[in-house]
Amino acid sequence: DAGITQSPRHKVTETGTPVTLRCHQTENHRYMYWYRQDPGHGLRLIHYSYGVKDTDKGEVSDGYSVSRSKTEDFLLTLESATSSQTSVYFCATGVATAYEQYFGPGTRLTVT
Amino acid sequence: AQKVTQAQTEISVVEKEDVTLDCVYETRDTTYYLFWYKQPPSGELVFLIRRNSFDEQNEISGRYSWNFQKSTSSFNFTITASQVVDSAVYFCALRHDTRLTQGGSEKLVFGKGTKLTVNP
């Protein structure tokens, strides 16, 4: 258990509004990841970070941005939420890329 | 392209039966890592095992065992004497490193999961 928390755990928002999801870890892991999980698609990587202020895109990054100003926090922002971004979002952390990732509890986001 | 296929979408068994979850992967990397995760109905993702491409030894952990075969690009997961608590969605994942070939990112590629239901 990597001590990962996500906030909020549930959110309902309207189309066009900005949304920020927060991931906080207490394990000092270098790598942090944001995934979304959708029926029929499994988990897909949105963005990841390999250090403070170092981030890169995943396979479904359009419409999302991230920031990492501290080792322990990784923020995911939807600048203008759309209904297609309704999903369950998971944060994960890892010691190194070759090793397993530990996942947070998830955030269920509904965009109406 | 890197890809993970879990052909079994759903499996239903009766308690105490053995069950095998299939995972077939595709990769051009010579070094890669395979993982299994469990997602119970509560929703969290739990890490089960990691295997690197140089280690083809099978692994056993209690009622769980994993069979890694590079010749068939498979990394199958068997639960012996299944229990109701094993009911979950199980994901197989492949980590590849595209930095050398594509000069950029790397990712953990997940299969779409197999939903296992163990009935009492």
Side-chain angles (χ1 to χ4, degrees):
Chain A
D1 186 357
I4 305 168
T5 57
Q6 294 182 230
S7 59
R9 294 292 313 281
H10 301 272
K11 187 171 182 66
V12 180
T13 192
E14 293 184 349
T15 298
T17 60
V19 176
T20 295
L21 308 183
R22 180 181 183 239
C23 177
H24 179 78
Q25 58 136 336
T26 59
E27 295 297 311
N28 202 36
H29 286 171
R30 178 182 174 189
Y31 292 84
M32 298 186 76
Y33 308 82
W34 277 108
Y35 292 89
R36 59 178 290 175
Q37 184 177 28
D38 304 289
H41 290 279
L43 283 117
R44 293 179 292 174
L45 181 66
I46 305 172
H47 281 280
Y48 70 100
S49 169
Y50 46 96
V52 173
K53 298 193 190 311
D54 292 323
T55 64
D56 206 346
K57 295 179 180 180
E59 61 181 301
V60 290
S61 59
D62 287 348
Y64 301 95
S65 62
V66 290
S67 65
R68 191 167 178 201
S69 58
K70 297 185 290 185
T71 298
E72 57 267 35
D73 290 325
F74 192 33
L75 304 181
L76 176 70
T77 297
L78 291 66
E79 301 290 346
S80 178
T82 66
S83 58
S84 65
Q85 294 175 312
T86 292
S87 186
V88 179
Y89 291 86
F90 285 96
C91 173
T93 72
V95 173
T97 58
Y99 292 87
E100 58 274 17
Q101 295 176 14
Y102 294 95
F103 286 80
T107 294
R108 183 173 295 276
L109 176 67
T110 302
V111 183
T112 61
Chain B
Q2 281 69 22
K3 185 179 176 182
V4 175
T5 302
Q6 295 181 254
Q8 305 149 307
T9 306
E10 294 192 37
I11 301 175
S12 182
V13 300
V14 177
E15 208 170 16
K16 297 185 183 177
E17 283 185 28
D18 298 347
V19 57
T20 295
L21 310 182
D22 297 332
C23 173
V24 174
Y25 62 91
E26 296 175 28
T27 181
R28 294 178 186 166
D29 290 351
T30 54
T31 301
Y32 54 90
Y33 302 86
L34 295 159
F35 304 83
W36 275 94
Y37 285 86
K38 174 182 179 180
Q39 187 174 39
S42 52
E44 73 274 21
L45 281 145
V46 179
F47 164 74
L48 295 177
I49 190 172
R50 165 184 174 268
R51 172 68 66 210
N52 73 54
S53 53
F54 296 112
D55 183 1
E56 289 194 69
Q57 276 195 323
N58 290 333
E59 176 114 0
I60 298 175
S61 176
R63 296 183 297 105
Y64 294 172
S65 62
W66 290 268
N67 181 11
F68 176 34
Q69 291 195 331
K70 288 179 75 171
S71 61
T72 56
S73 297
S74 65
F75 186 41
N76 297 336
F77 173 33
T78 297
I79 301 174
T80 302
S82 59
Q83 299 177 3
V84 173
V85 293
D86 296 326
S87 296
V89 180
Y90 291 87
F91 291 96
C92 180
L94 166 70
R95 190 201 81 86
H96 69 107
D97 189 344
T98 63
R99 284 174 291 177
L100 292 179
T101 56
Q102 298 177 18
S105 63
E106 56 168 271
K107 37 179 141 171
L108 189 62
V109 177
F110 283 83
K112 294 186 179 179
T114 297
K115 182 179 180 181
L116 174 65
T117 301
V118 181
N119 299 298

